[in-house]
Amino acid sequence: MRRKQKGEKPKSRVDPQRTIQPWEHYLAKQENANSAKPSQELHVSKTLPQWNRQRTRRLVKNTTIVLLVFLVVGLVTAYFLTPFSRVREISVQGTNVAADQAVIDESHIRSGESLMHIFLHRHTMTRDLKKRMPILQSAQIVPNGINDITLRVKEYPVVGYTVKQGIYYPVLSTGAVLKDGQSKPVGNSPIYADFTSAKHLAFAVKVYTSLSQHVQADISEVHDTSDQRNPNRVMLYMNDQNKVIADLTTLKQKIIYYPKMKTQLKGTGIVDLEVGAYAIPNKSENSAKNP
């Protein structure tokens, strides 16, 4: 028997049960994994039909979208090849002074022109139309039926006329004078005479349009009598044969005195509203009454 040397450590004893336990755990995991595989295969077999149905629905949806796109493109192409895509007739609404044919000509829209082109550029077309025709306050291009269009316009009011060589040229509420004249005036609008400045005429028109309608109806002519002392002086010829001297800057405030002032004339004469307010009878009438 071998003797135990001094200082030698005793050998540890190995437990067989502890040595075999890791191997048993490994075998148990393998068995569990093998037992789970049939259930996973069974799960895939159950979900496969559902997945096929979803794929079929997506395929049908995508196919429908593509067919619709081709259908729309085909219909649009067919539309542009037909006469319905082009202008057939052009009409005008809202004119009182301007001629309908003049509006059509200045619009530069012609029968047979593409409707798509017109409606894509309608804002530019109406803007240019108003520039070419100062009488137009607004203009619209609106569809009328399948392939007819209407030029719907609104005119600036005509508030008087200027006269050159017997031709009457309409004056608009903006102060602009139309280039196309006429042989005689229409309505009761006054005549603007002796105005050499477009700016001064526009100012006179602005003051006139600010007056009440019954006062406007009493005025037959507006003459520019301005000078260096008073650049805003005008002479109004009234329908009752009287004359009114006034300053454009104070006319609206002072014209209310005119009905009372003209009663002091006891006939025809001049009512001066430029500075103060007083009436001057005509000399011819005074001399006839007082020989």
Side-chain angles (χ1 to χ4, degrees):
M1 172 180 272
R2 180 177 176 272
R3 292 185 178 182
K4 183 177 180 182
Q5 298 293 331
K6 184 177 182 181
E8 184 179 357
K9 294 182 180 180
K11 293 183 178 180
S12 58
R13 299 181 63 184
V14 178
D15 187 358
Q17 290 297 115
R18 293 183 62 184
T19 303
I20 203 172
Q21 281 181 355
W23 176 249
E24 290 178 347
H25 288 313
Y26 172 76
L27 292 178
K29 288 182 179 180
Q30 288 294 105
E31 291 179 0
N32 291 335
N34 292 333
S35 62
K37 285 183 179 180
S39 62
Q40 290 177 357
E41 293 176 358
L42 181 61
H43 176 70
V44 171
S45 64
K46 287 183 178 180
T47 57
L48 183 60
Q50 182 179 359
W51 182 80
N52 287 333
R53 286 194 296 271
Q54 291 177 352
R55 186 178 64 175
T56 302
R57 282 197 295 267
R58 285 197 298 268
L59 180 62
V60 171
K61 181 180 178 180
N62 294 336
T63 304
T64 303
I65 293 174
V66 172
L67 291 176
L68 286 176
V69 170
F70 278 105
L71 179 62
V72 171
V73 172
L75 290 175
V76 171
T77 303
Y79 168 75
F80 281 110
L81 295 176
T82 64
F84 297 110
S85 65
R86 300 189 174 276
V87 177
R88 186 173 68 96
E89 290 184 359
I90 308 168
S91 58
V92 180
Q93 291 181 353
T95 54
N96 294 314
V97 178
D100 290 352
Q101 189 59 47
V103 176
I104 294 174
D105 293 342
E106 293 297 339
S107 71
H108 294 177
I109 299 175
R110 301 292 179 264
S111 296
E113 192 170 352
S114 170
L115 285 170
M116 181 64 69
H117 173 79
I118 291 174
F119 284 105
L120 287 177
H121 299 87
R122 63 187 182 277
H123 297 298
T124 302
M125 288 181 169
T126 53
R127 182 190 61 200
D128 294 342
L129 174 61
K130 290 190 293 182
K131 288 181 179 179
R132 289 188 287 266
M133 300 190 71
I135 192 172
L136 299 183
Q137 183 177 359
S138 64
Q140 289 180 306
I141 299 175
V142 295
N144 182 14
I146 298 177
N147 57 339
D148 297 338
I149 63 172
T150 298
L151 298 173
R152 188 174 297 164
V153 300
K154 181 180 180 181
E155 298 176 338
Y156 284 108
V158 174
V159 295
Y161 296 88
T162 60
V163 184
K164 292 181 181 179
Q165 299 179 351
I167 303 298
Y168 294 84
Y169 296 88
V171 178
L172 305 179
S173 59
T174 58
V177 180
L178 299 182
K179 296 180 180 179
D180 296 328
Q182 51 200 60
S183 59
K184 60 181 180 179
V186 178
N188 298 320
S189 299
I191 303 298
Y192 293 87
D194 305 324
F195 285 89
T196 58
S197 169
K199 184 177 180 180
H200 197 206
L201 174 60
F203 183 37
V205 169
K206 181 179 179 181
V207 174
Y208 172 79
T209 54
S210 68
L211 302 176
S212 61
Q213 290 186 354
H214 75 275
V215 174
Q216 291 181 12
D218 289 339
I219 301 173
S220 63
E221 297 179 22
V222 180
H223 288 251
D224 184 5
T225 58
S226 60
D227 55 19
Q228 292 183 352
R229 185 179 63 86
N230 186 355
N232 294 312
R233 185 172 61 189
V234 292
M235 174 80 77
L236 308 180
Y237 287 66
M238 312 301 286
N239 287 323
D240 56 12
Q241 306 304 315
N242 291 321
K243 299 177 183 179
V244 176
I245 300 174
D247 187 310
L248 287 173
T249 59
T250 59
L251 175 60
K252 184 177 181 180
Q253 292 76 24
K254 291 188 174 183
I255 196 66
I256 59 176
Y257 301 115
Y258 174 71
K260 183 178 180 181
M261 299 299 297
K262 71 177 182 179
T263 59
Q264 300 176 9
L265 295 173
K266 298 180 180 179
T268 59
I270 298 176
V271 174
D272 194 335
L273 300 177
E274 182 182 8
V275 180
Y278 56 91
I280 306 172
N282 286 332
K283 294 181 179 179
S284 59
E285 293 185 1
N286 287 342
S287 59
K289 292 179 181 178
N290 301 295

